[in-house]
Amino acid sequence: MTDMPESAAGSPAESPLVVLGKIVGVHGIRGAVKLYSHTDPLDNVLDYPEWILRRGSEVRTTTFVDARIQGRILVVRLKGMNDRNQALELVDFEVCVPRDALPQLDEGEFYWHQLVGLQVVTLEGQLLGRIDHLLETGSNDVMVVKPCEGSLDQRERLLPYLPGQYVHDIDLASGVMRVEWDPEF
């Protein structure tokens, strides 16, 4: 599974864009921005030569000139961005790319944004809820499953994303993931 969360715009079918990161601040006086990347590794966002910047209904396109990793963020210089005041205008913009720009995955592999919104159903047919988001924990990814209409109860659950062990079937077309999980846990 590749770490790329879905955009705030909604389900994968609703948005042609995938959010790869967010501009969270500025760096220095020459117009560099601090980018929090959702990709794994974090500099994979640099694999895309053109970015679509989005904040609410405001949309811009840009390219980066250069970038470097600094701790858990990237310091990025964008084309045409030459001073701190220009860079400040970009804080809180999401960095997006068209969904069809993502590399094709092998069978059985999924991007996080494809899993968000799936109904999670036990092998016995009990609806646990929908995947709200995923967490990277180091040892394995974890799905945050929140209750939805028709779910067994109103509990939020944390389920390990371990295909073959707990995750038995993912059907993107029907929007269902079947899991081996005790609803009482």
Side-chain angles (χ1 to χ4, degrees):
M1 181 170 60
T2 302
D3 180 8
M4 278 190 210
E6 171 57 33
S7 73
S11 71
E14 293 174 3
S15 176
L17 299 177
V18 175
V19 178
L20 300 184
K22 185 174 184 177
I23 297 174
V24 296
V26 297
H27 181 82
I29 60 171
R30 296 193 176 131
V33 296
K34 294 179 182 180
L35 173 66
Y36 180 79
S37 175
H38 299 308
T39 64
D40 182 18
L42 65 96
D43 61 346
N44 272 3
V45 68
L46 303 175
D47 290 346
Y48 303 90
E50 186 171 273
W51 294 341
I52 299 167
L53 303 181
R54 179 178 67 187
R55 180 174 61 195
S57 62
E58 191 176 355
V59 177
R60 304 176 184 189
T61 59
T62 191
T63 57
F64 65 91
V65 177
D66 61 35
R68 72 178 191 284
I69 296 174
Q70 183 171 312
R72 296 183 52 89
I73 63 163
L74 293 169
V75 175
V76 181
R77 284 189 325 121
L78 300 173
K79 185 176 182 179
M81 194 70 41
N82 299 313
D83 70 47
R84 183 178 183 87
N85 291 334
Q86 286 178 306
L88 278 169
E89 294 176 16
L90 296 180
V91 172
D92 291 331
F93 270 84
E94 296 172 316
V95 174
C96 308
V97 297
R99 185 174 307 284
D100 59 7
L102 298 176
Q104 292 294 315
L105 298 177
D106 293 333
E107 188 172 329
E109 292 184 326
F110 300 93
Y111 287 112
W112 281 19
H113 73 266
Q114 293 176 297
L115 302 178
V116 171
L118 293 181
Q119 289 186 336
V120 178
V121 178
T122 66
L123 295 177
E124 293 77 28
Q126 297 172 304
L127 176 61
L128 299 178
R130 289 190 181 276
I131 299 174
D132 183 70
H133 61 281
L134 289 99
L135 304 170
E136 185 176 3
T137 64
S139 59
N140 59 269
D141 298 327
V142 173
M143 302 175 291
V144 178
V145 179
K146 294 198 174 185
C148 64
E149 185 177 328
S151 60
L152 180 65
D153 53 33
Q154 295 301 305
R155 292 177 41 203
E156 177 179 284
R157 292 177 171 83
L158 302 177
L159 279 71
Y161 181 80
L162 293 170
Q165 186 173 353
Y166 297 112
V167 177
H168 283 266
D169 180 53
I170 298 172
D171 187 343
L172 296 179
S174 66
V176 174
M177 174 187 290
R178 290 179 357 113
V179 297
E180 184 172 340
W181 193 257
D182 181 354
E184 296 302 317
F185 190 66

